[in-house]
Amino acid sequence: MKADSLVQSVNLDTRVIHQQISAPSTAPTATAASSGQPAITTPAATPQATTADSTASPAAASPATAATPAVTANASSSTAAAAAPEPADTSSTMPSAGTEANASTAANASSAAANGTVKPISILQVQQNAPYDLDILDQAGLPLDGKYEYTNDGTGVNVYMLDTGIRKTHEEFRYAPYMNKTGTRALHAWSAVGDPSNSDDCLGHGTHTAGSVGGLTYGVAKNATLWAVRVINCDGSAQSSAVIAGLDWLAQNYQLPAVASMSLGSDSPNQALDDAVTAIIALGITAVIAAGNYNQDACQLSPARLPAGITVAASDKTDTRWPNSNYGRCVDLYGPGVAVLSAMDTSDTATMTASGTSMACPHVSGVAALYLQSNPTAQPNEVSSTIIETAAEGQIKNADENVGTPNRKLQTYLNTAPSVTITPAVLPPVVLFAGASFSAAAASTQTIVLANAGNSSVTFNASATPTGLFGGWISMAPSTGTIAAGQSMNLVLTYDITQNTFQTVLQAAVLITTSGRPAAKSMTASAYVFCPALQTALPEATHTTSIAFPLVQDTRPITADWPALANTNGTWVYFDAQIQFSHPVGSLAESALEINEGAGRIEAINSTGPNGDLCGGFTIRAKVQFSPWETLQTTVGVTVKGAEVTDVYGKTFPTYVNTSTIDHRPVGQFFAPYMPYSGSQGLVTSEQNVVLLLVWSEPVTGLTPNSFSVSGPSVTASIVSGLKLLRGTNTYYHLTVNLPGDYYGGVTVTLQGTVTDTAGTSYATIKSPGLLTLT
């Protein structure tokens, strides 16, 4: 990864109002790491004076000041007097505590939790006098009704809080009464800061966000399991390496279903951090990320810019965008994040009010836990699409839609509509052959099954839209319809490329929308169109590779269309090799090839398909070093590392090596061993002659003075006036160049035409030009 950089939690420069405890009146500012590395910060809260009606401007303070807010000594003289939080007022038909029925219900719930299974409450719960940030989640519009209604509570779902730690003994994290369990749902996971076994909160940020996810009073998912993964220091800062270490720990220790709640980020792109978050998403962990509090484009920050995560902006109780919230197309939706009341770390009953995208993020994490309770095998893309599609559209005022921010408001009603199962979750590619009928081993149709598991009918719309240059090759039927409760319907995709002769990968966007849940499902349909010659190359057939060398010389036969590839200094010689795979390979990476055990270099890789890139063939151009005056042959070897080559079926090839010999025939080189002389028979004339030495690597014939041309900056009428084979040799020639008498400068002598070796083969030479400078 890059040089380590500073990451700050989103707590430190949003507006904070503390309850029951006094708070620092100033906020620490992010500072660069002591190593001098660049700082990357993501703010989320600005500490303020304790009283609710006071305001304070952020100002610099030492980390020590901000680390642990001071508890008010005299409750009677403070507006922040300590008191236990008011318990939630819930209304339901569940048996009351202590009754026989309740004992049975609690025992069943406890057993389910102990066995790791997911069991919804299944009875509507109503929290009366709910905090606004919960109340606003179960209704699309205003005014608020003072109630938070829910049926799921996150039972069996693991929410990993990558934050400042959690005060695990806080009353908010006790088990719900019907679970009939004592202890806490807030558990130690790991700490990247200090002692790995200590994930206690020393700032309050992590306890607050955990309370919004799963607190009994202030939480969305009131029975979710909360894991403290401490990656942020007591002053609210963290090295990017600590955050990545926490994500790496999670990747090795996660339990599904799982959510990673990340109220943190950077103030600039950080690829290493993005990669670490992407890795946990690939494992099936839904990642929820604060958009950041800079009033800027979230696409400029990590990990908020990741499309695979759920990026959350902040809004208030009037459904108005928080002015400091980041915005843009990388935001997925708004969540309540202004004046949010939740737990605090200073005691087991302490609370505080805070604002920022840090506060909006855990609300979405809680909603994700609600969905995963009923859909424990759902992948992150399904969780994300469901939350996005069930959001209330157009409710947020000043949503910055003009810069691409979606106007979506988080909602919790994910399980009230009929449930629709769509299979398969991913469409496998269909294999077709250009200009031919469909292979017996390849299907020309695919079936998608919509199953309605609800108790009322569901309507749907379906479409398949080609995304490339080619259209008309895919269709879907039916495109609309109604599915009765408990019934299913088959949607058939039909592929038709019989008129197409182009070998490529065709793709189409498949979109299914329903009146149930999920409200939308997007998939990609792919058709691999191969050369007819590969129709027998089925996935299970033996995978082979061949390498051929069509022409390997640093000179060229005059009948060949062979470019002048050799460098004039003679240190490299180039060659082509043709690689053919038995199965279609979409691309061939340079890292999968090796020339002369690493001593050579790849110059170019090109597909050799006649009309596309899925014929399994590639031509590579490579070069190796050689010394033609020491040897007339150079051996070249090409290795295809099969384990790094994957065909379109996902299968690899065995490693294959082949070699050939470069024949340096013939090689000529110019030398200028003699001083130029003037005149004829010692008389000074208007001309000057330069004698060059031309040396060949083997005997050649066919040379004449007309085989050469002379050029220079001011040469207008120079010729080669003489060519003579030196006595006693068959490879050394004297070459006389006639130049104007007043010429001074460099000349270039180029050998053109052909030469013939002793075997009678004619070659067009490319070991020139040679450069001569007159003195």
Side-chain angles (χ1 to χ4, degrees), residues 586-654:
S587 62
L588 180 61
E590 183 176 327
S591 61
L593 301 173
E594 191 173 72
I595 307 300
N596 278 18
E597 298 181 343
R601 299 180 187 175
I602 299 289
E603 293 291 300
I605 302 175
N606 298 297
S607 171
T608 56
N611 293 310
D613 56 1
L614 286 179
C615 290
F618 297 86
T619 295
I620 68 167
R621 177 152 294 166
K623 65 180 182 180
V624 295
Q625 289 184 319
F626 81 120
S627 300
W629 301 104
E630 300 171 4
T631 174
L632 297 182
Q633 292 183 330
T634 298
T635 299
V636 296
V638 177
T639 300
V640 177
K641 294 179 278 189
E644 298 185 27
V645 181
T646 304
D647 70 5
V648 294
Y649 304 106
K651 299 183 180 298
T652 58
F653 291 77

Side-chain angles (χ1 to χ4, degrees), residues 13-219:
D13 34 4
T14 42
R15 218 165 145 261
V16 176
I17 302 173
H18 293 270
Q19 266 187 275
Q20 301 185 358
I21 60 172
S22 63
S25 60
T26 56
T29 56
T31 57
S34 59
S35 62
Q37 293 160 338
I40 52 173
T41 60
T42 297
T46 303
Q48 272 193 314
T50 307
T51 54
D53 60 351
S54 65
T55 58
S57 300
S62 67
T65 303
T68 308
V71 179
T72 302
N74 188 345
S76 62
S77 62
S78 169
T79 57
E86 182 181 352
D89 181 3
T90 58
S91 302
S92 74
T93 57
M94 294 186 67
S96 61
T99 66
E100 182 177 351
N102 188 59
S104 173
T105 302
N108 290 339
S110 178
S111 174
N115 293 329
T117 58
V118 175
K119 184 178 179 65
I121 301 172
S122 75
I123 299 174
L124 178 66
Q125 302 290 297
V126 181
Q127 179 179 346
Q128 302 289 350
N129 301 318
Y132 96 86
D133 52 296
L134 299 183
D135 184 6
I136 207 166
L137 298 179
D138 62 4
Q139 59 182 82
L142 300 175
L144 300 176
D145 61 8
K147 298 182 292 185
Y148 172 51
E149 299 180 351
Y150 59 97
T151 54
N152 280 6
D153 60 1
T155 298
V157 180
N158 300 285
V159 182
Y160 295 90
M161 307 298 301
L162 284 89
D163 215 299
T164 64
I166 302 175
R167 185 180 181 102
K168 304 169 193 66
T169 58
H170 201 288
E171 290 186 355
E172 281 294 299
F173 306 132
R174 293 174 299 175
Y175 285 94
Y178 53 83
M179 293 299 294
N180 196 29
K181 293 182 68 175
T182 60
T184 178
R185 293 174 291 110
L187 306 175
H188 167 73
W190 188 71
S191 177
V193 180
D195 182 359
S197 64
N198 180 10
S199 59
D200 291 340
D201 191 359
C202 60
L203 181 64
H205 187 267
T207 300
H208 191 280
T209 57
S212 292
V213 172
L216 284 178
T217 309
Y218 308 109

Side-chain angles (χ1 to χ4, degrees), residues 532-555:
L534 296 179
Q535 289 194 22
T536 59
L538 301 179
E540 63 274 11
T542 301
H543 285 53
T544 60
T545 306
S546 64
I547 303 174
F549 300 88
L551 179 63
V552 188
Q553 288 180 266
D554 67 313
T555 52

Side-chain angles (χ1 to χ4, degrees), residues 271-562:
Q271 190 60 50
L273 182 57
D274 290 344
D275 291 345
V277 176
T278 301
I280 66 164
I281 294 173
L283 296 173
I285 303 169
T286 298
V288 184
I289 305 162
N293 310 313
Y294 297 104
N295 189 27
Q296 70 179 52
D297 188 356
C299 293
Q300 303 302 314
L301 312 177
S302 294
R305 64 177 179 165
L306 286 179
I310 307 175
T311 299
V312 190
S315 57
D316 64 16
K317 67 186 304 179
T318 66
D319 283 343
T320 301
R321 172 185 173 267
W322 184 53
N324 288 341
S325 177
N326 285 351
Y327 51 78
R329 59 180 177 81
C330 290
V331 168
D332 290 299
L333 77 170
Y334 283 87
V338 180
V340 173
L341 178 63
S342 186
M344 182 58 172
D345 71 316
T346 52
S347 77
D348 289 347
T349 59
T351 63
M352 77 170 181
T353 299
S355 297
T357 58
S358 266
M359 285 67 244
C361 170
H363 289 83
V364 178
S365 300
V367 173
L370 300 183
Y371 183 76
L372 284 167
Q373 180 179 354
S374 294
N375 305 273
T377 62
Q379 291 298 300
N381 63 332
E382 180 183 336
V383 178
S384 175
S385 64
T386 301
I387 290 175
I388 290 171
E389 293 299 329
T390 55
E393 296 279 352
Q395 296 296 313
I396 304 299
K397 296 180 281 293
N398 303 326
D400 277 346
E401 294 171 271
N402 60 317
V403 290
T405 315
N407 193 329
R408 302 189 189 110
K409 170 186 171 183
L410 178 65
Q411 296 284 270
T412 56
Y413 278 136
L414 306 180
N415 302 291
T416 56
S419 176
V420 178
T421 302
I422 302 176
T423 54
V426 178
L427 291 170
V430 166
V431 178
L432 308 172
F433 299 99
S437 60
F438 298 118
S439 166
S444 61
T445 62
Q446 282 182 317
T447 300
I448 300 173
V449 180
L450 303 187
N452 181 7
N455 53 13
S456 61
S457 62
V458 170
T459 60
F460 71 89
N461 291 280
S463 62
T465 306
T467 56
L469 298 175
F470 302 98
W473 57 271
I474 189 170
S475 60
M476 176 180 282
S479 60
T480 187
T482 300
I483 310 173
Q487 300 299 309
S488 62
M489 181 173 291
N490 292 345
L491 309 183
V492 179
L493 286 168
T494 300
Y495 299 79
D496 183 4
I497 53 109
T498 54
Q499 304 304 313
N500 179 35
T501 60
F502 198 88
Q503 293 82 54
T504 188
V505 178
L506 299 175
Q507 290 190 325
V510 175
L511 177 64
I512 302 170
T513 59
T514 77
S515 60
R517 295 293 181 265
K521 174 75 171 180
S522 60
M523 294 182 281
T524 299
S526 300
Y528 291 133
V529 187
F530 300 158
C531 291
L534 296 179
Q535 289 194 22
T536 59
L538 301 179
E540 63 274 11
T542 301
H543 285 53
T544 60
T545 306
S546 64
I547 303 174
F549 300 88
L551 179 63
V552 188
Q553 288 180 266
D554 67 313
T555 52
R556 55 183 176 175
I558 59 175
T559 57
D561 182 17
W562 182 249

Side-chain angles (χ1 to χ4, degrees), residues 671-745:
F671 297 91
Y674 308 111
M675 295 294 292
Y677 65 93
S678 299
S680 175
Q681 296 179 353
L683 300 177
V684 177
T685 68
S686 61
E687 297 178 349
Q688 58 179 328
N689 295 322
V690 177
V691 177
L692 303 180
L693 180 64
L694 176 58
V695 182
W696 290 94
S697 59
E698 61 181 281
V700 296
T701 60
L703 286 177
T704 71
N706 293 329
S707 300
F708 304 91
S709 64
V710 182
S711 61
S714 59
V715 174
T716 57
S718 298
I719 61 170
V720 173
S721 58
L723 178 67
K724 179 180 180 181
L725 181 65
L726 296 185
R727 184 180 302 173
T729 75
N730 58 5
T731 57
Y732 283 68
Y733 290 81
H734 267 174
L735 187 72
T736 303
V737 179
N738 182 254
L739 298 172
D742 59 352
Y743 184 83
Y744 185 86

